[in-house]
Amino acid sequence: MWWNKHSNDDANTGISEQLSTLQSDGINLTIDELLPYQGKASLLNLAPKKALHGHLSGNYLARTKGRGMEFDEVRHYQTGDDIRAIDWRVTARTGETHTKLFKEEVERPVLIATDLGQSMFFGSKLLFKSVQASHIAALVAWHAKKRGDRVGGLVFNELEHQELKPRSRQNGVLHYLHALDELHLQGLEHWQQDTPTSNDYFIENCNRLRQLARPGSLVYLITDGNHFDEQALLPLSQISRVCELVICQISDPLESELPDSHHKTSVAVTNGKVKQQLTLGDKKSAERYQQKAQMLTQLKQHMYQKAGARFISFSAGSSIEHQLKSGVESWIR
């Protein structure tokens, strides 16, 4: 978080207060900072946005008609209808045979796939993207638990992945939070070693997620999208055909625009492999930087839409609670 060192004292004080509230140092991850999201579950609404497909009884009403418990409508009897569902009162009143239709109750597992690859270990203001991604995963998991959904999914980086089959109640959430804690520590150590990476790990885990997702599931993929390419489209498109797929893109403020500066200042930035000089306080440089960032963001969003996913943009520069209360622009897309 190099920019904090050059910020004024008031800004640093504000960041310190936010980190204290989040019980985080912005870089490392602990279980203690994920547990409080249980009390913030109402910030989300995971109600289905598309028809569900499933066979187990559960907490949601499918838009398809079936032998469920929730009455939906009465219509004329058709060949093949179950005679046990005939509505004799309406039949007697109209003189024509009518049958009752019910909404089928289905169970909806919530799968959360959290990318903790090396590109996620970056932050210029408040949190590393990896920490913010873990906070979002925790919030989704606690909300799913509150609704009675089973929680599972994937936590992955370049070295390892943990596949967590959906579990009900608090056990499913805690199992997932411990996986976040474990792989975040491993990923942080790996990032510090400056080991070369490729897109392969991301594509492999998209395929794992496709195998894990069952029809009717709600699937969250939390990533910065830096490894999203055409090869990842196939498994994610297959998921979106039978599940509701939501991609949470985590970005850092420095990835969108250069910080303000009253004087021209040359600074060196690096991703651990490539070093680059940036000029702060120069209007043309700032505009070019912002235009390139916008083009990259639009390209990613086009890929998400092509995969059939809804997408939500989150910043690592402020708390999730602040962003959700302020209204994340992409949340309703």
Side-chain angles (χ1 to χ4, degrees):
M1 301 187 185
W2 62 272
W3 184 245
N4 286 347
K5 298 176 182 178
H6 303 280
S7 301
N8 58 49
D9 292 339
D10 291 339
N12 281 331
T13 300
I15 294 296
S16 298
E17 290 176 352
Q18 290 182 66
L19 289 174
S20 177
T21 301
L22 294 172
Q23 301 181 45
S24 174
D25 65 4
I27 298 174
N28 298 284
L29 184 71
T30 66
I31 290 291
D32 288 342
E33 66 192 84
L34 301 179
L35 295 177
Y37 284 103
Q38 182 173 13
K40 301 177 181 180
S42 58
L43 289 170
L44 291 185
N45 177 14
L46 301 188
K49 299 293 190 299
K50 62 192 293 186
L52 301 178
H53 306 277
H55 305 288
L56 302 175
S57 62
N59 300 322
Y60 298 92
L61 299 176
R63 295 178 185 176
T64 54
K65 307 300 188 293
R67 287 289 303 167
M69 298 296 293
E70 182 77 7
F71 173 74
D72 186 55
E73 63 180 354
V74 173
R75 63 160 169 76
H76 286 94
Y77 179 85
Q78 297 177 3
T79 304
D81 285 346
D82 191 337
I83 60 173
R84 293 174 296 179
I86 292 176
D87 191 324
W88 296 108
R89 290 184 179 180
V90 176
T91 298
R93 187 172 68 249
T94 63
E96 296 181 356
T97 306
H98 282 72
T99 186
K100 297 178 182 178
L101 295 180
F102 301 85
K103 288 183 178 179
E104 184 179 6
E105 293 183 344
V106 298
E107 187 179 59
R108 183 183 64 165
V110 175
L111 301 178
I112 310 165
T114 308
D115 178 6
L116 296 179
Q118 287 192 35
S119 66
M120 297 289 287
F121 289 86
F122 175 79
S124 66
K125 188 175 182 181
L126 183 68
L127 303 172
F128 266 18
K129 291 186 288 183
S130 58
V131 175
Q132 186 73 300
S134 300
H135 287 196
I136 292 170
L139 181 61
V140 172
W142 283 120
H143 183 78
K145 180 258 179 185
K146 182 180 179 180
R147 291 185 63 94
D149 293 323
R150 292 182 296 137
V151 177
L154 285 171
V155 184
F156 60 92
N157 57 33
E158 290 87 352
L159 300 177
E160 187 183 345
H161 75 277
Q162 287 196 24
E163 182 176 314
L164 304 116
K165 293 187 177 180
R167 295 185 182 184
S168 60
R169 301 184 178 88
Q170 190 160 313
N171 286 341
V173 179
L174 294 179
H175 194 204
Y176 197 89
L177 299 190
H178 281 290
L180 287 171
D181 184 31
E182 183 178 336
L183 264 72
H184 191 277
L185 177 59
Q186 182 194 63
L188 187 59
E189 293 172 347
H190 184 223
W191 168 74
Q192 291 170 336
Q193 294 170 2
D194 192 21
T195 307
T197 62
S198 70
N199 288 6
D200 293 346
Y201 87 97
F202 184 81
I203 297 164
E204 289 169 2
N205 282 286
C206 285
N207 281 300
R208 291 189 179 101
L209 183 61
R210 176 182 58 81
Q211 295 170 358
L212 186 62
R214 294 289 178 265
S217 300
L218 172 60
V219 181
Y220 269 79
L221 174 59
I222 307 173
T223 179
D224 60 5
N226 285 359
H227 299 285
F228 200 105
D229 60 17
E230 291 288 342
Q231 288 182 282
L233 276 178
L234 179 59
L236 294 179
S237 297
Q238 292 173 335
I239 291 172
S240 68
R241 291 191 190 108
V242 295
C243 301
E244 185 175 352
L245 175 62
V246 181
I247 296 177
C248 295
Q249 179 182 296
I250 316 298
S251 62
D252 182 84
L254 189 59
E255 294 173 330
S256 301
E257 59 184 7
L258 294 175
D260 292 330
S261 176
H262 297 298
H263 306 285
K264 282 192 177 182
T265 307
S266 181
V267 296
V269 295
T270 179
N271 61 2
K273 303 173 185 64
V274 180
K275 291 184 179 180
Q276 184 177 353
Q277 291 292 131
L278 295 177
T279 302
L280 306 183
D282 181 73
K283 186 176 180 180
K284 289 185 178 179
S285 297
E287 288 177 351
R288 286 196 300 269
Y289 186 94
Q290 190 171 14
Q291 287 173 359
K292 288 182 180 179
Q294 288 175 346
M295 288 176 61
L296 180 59
T297 298
Q298 290 171 0
L299 176 61
K300 289 179 181 179
Q301 292 178 353
H302 174 72
M303 297 281 281
Y304 302 154
Q305 291 174 329
K306 196 173 179 181
R310 288 194 298 130
F311 62 89
I312 309 167
S313 298
F314 282 103
S315 170
S318 63
S319 69
I320 309 170
E321 185 173 5
H322 173 75
Q323 292 179 65
L324 290 177
K325 286 183 176 179
S326 300
V328 178
E329 182 180 355
S330 317
W331 181 253
I332 59 174
R333 294 188 187 185

